[in-house]
Amino acid sequence: MTQEQCPHRNNVQSTEKPQVYKVGIYGWRKRCLYFLVLLLMILIVVNLALTIWILKVMNFTIDGMGHLRITERGLKLEGDSEFLQPLYAKEIQSRPGSPLFLQSSKNVSVNILNEKKQLVSQLVAGSHGVHARGKMLEVKSSAGKLLFSADDHEVVVGAERLRAPKGVKIEADAGDFQATCRSNLRLESKDGEISLDARKIKLLRLPEGKTSPSGTRQTVFEVCVCPNGKLFLSQAGTGSTCQISSNLCL
């Protein structure tokens, strides 16, 4: 069939309007998208407000945060602080004119380690007292004078006077007790007495009085006491011979 034979069909096709397809989101999808965009904007504004509030409360600045400041020498911390984990620092100082206060509910421990991470010195202050551990302990005055020192071999008291309000008791259960001085050793009891309790008492290097006229050397002496407290030896005889050497009391 030729084109001339179908005039009606061509007329129908020419009178039909072209169809237009719309591209986009419409209806409930569009409303959901707007709602999500609005919710996202609200969250951004809330987060920004919270960030500004946190910066304001924590006092964030260019130099640091809160009482913590970053300086050229390191970190500077002011006010009351609490450390929940170990703190490693080369030097800790307080503000000029202010004390450094350390507080703990149990104890405060200061440990000194060597290059091999071995404990060499320790200071523990707790509810039961203060305990120190180390090779040597020294106490000096503000002028640098040694007042007290102790190590494995000796204990040195550098003060001119050692005073105890109620009494001093010195015991050597497993060894000797020796007191040595360069000048005079004085034992004085104002209201009591001085007791020497031992099986043997030796008084060495006491001066000896005059010998007997016979010239014989005796091995038995008597101990003579002068009024001023001096002691000397005198050869024993039938009677007391202390008056023969009374010149030693001068």
Side-chain angles (χ1 to χ4, degrees), residues 190-201:
K190 294 181 178 180
D191 298 330
E193 61 182 10
I194 298 176
S195 301
L196 299 177
D197 185 5
R199 293 181 180 179
K200 295 180 180 180
I201 298 177

Side-chain angles (χ1 to χ4, degrees), residues 110-131:
V110 179
N111 299 329
I112 293 90
L113 307 178
N114 57 10
E115 295 80 3
K116 298 180 180 180
K117 305 298 181 181
Q118 298 177 350
L119 183 64
V120 294
S121 299
Q122 185 182 43
L123 178 63
V124 180
S127 58
H128 298 290
V130 179
H131 303 273

Side-chain angles (χ1 to χ4, degrees), residues 179-181 183-187:
T180 305
C181 64
S183 56
N184 297 328
L185 177 62
R186 181 177 180 180
L187 300 177

Side-chain angles (χ1 to χ4, degrees), residues 44-60:
I44 292 175
V45 172
V46 172
N47 288 335
L48 182 60
L50 289 176
T51 302
I52 296 175
W53 178 77
I54 292 174
L55 293 176
K56 184 67 175 178
V57 172
M58 299 299 293
N59 195 13
F60 276 96

Side-chain angles (χ1 to χ4, degrees), residues 17-162:
K17 296 181 179 180
Q19 296 181 359
V20 179
Y21 296 95
K22 297 180 180 181
V23 180
I25 301 175
Y26 299 93
W28 64 272
R29 295 183 180 87
K30 184 177 181 180
R31 290 191 293 270
C32 290
L33 180 61
Y34 286 164
F35 176 76
L36 292 177
V37 173
L38 180 61
L39 181 60
L40 182 60
M41 292 179 62
I42 294 174
L43 291 178
I44 292 175
V45 172
V46 172
N47 288 335
L48 182 60
L50 289 176
T51 302
I52 296 175
W53 178 77
I54 292 174
L55 293 176
K56 184 67 175 178
V57 172
M58 299 299 293
N59 195 13
F60 276 96
T61 60
I62 300 177
D63 298 330
M65 177 188 68
H67 298 291
L68 186 64
R69 294 289 184 266
I70 301 175
T71 61
E72 296 179 355
R73 300 180 58 186
L75 297 178
K76 181 179 180 181
L77 185 62
E78 299 178 352
D80 298 336
S81 304
E82 182 179 359
F83 299 94
L84 302 179
Q85 297 295 332
L87 175 64
Y88 300 93
K90 182 180 180 180
E91 184 179 357
I92 299 178
Q93 291 184 354
S94 63
R95 292 181 297 177
S98 300
L100 181 63
F101 181 70
L102 300 177
Q103 182 177 0
S104 175
S105 59
K106 291 185 179 180
N107 57 50
V108 177
S109 302
V110 179
N111 299 329
I112 293 90
L113 307 178
N114 57 10
E115 295 80 3
K116 298 180 180 180
K117 305 298 181 181
Q118 298 177 350
L119 183 64
V120 294
S121 299
Q122 185 182 43
L123 178 63
V124 180
S127 58
H128 298 290
V130 179
H131 303 273
R133 174 185 176 185
K135 295 181 179 179
M136 183 178 62
L137 175 64
E138 286 188 353
V139 179
K140 295 184 178 181
S141 64
S142 57
K145 181 181 178 181
L146 181 63
L147 300 179
F148 179 84
S149 67
D151 55 17
D152 295 338
H153 303 287
E154 62 180 2
V155 176
V156 179
V157 179
E160 297 180 357
R161 179 178 298 179
L162 179 62

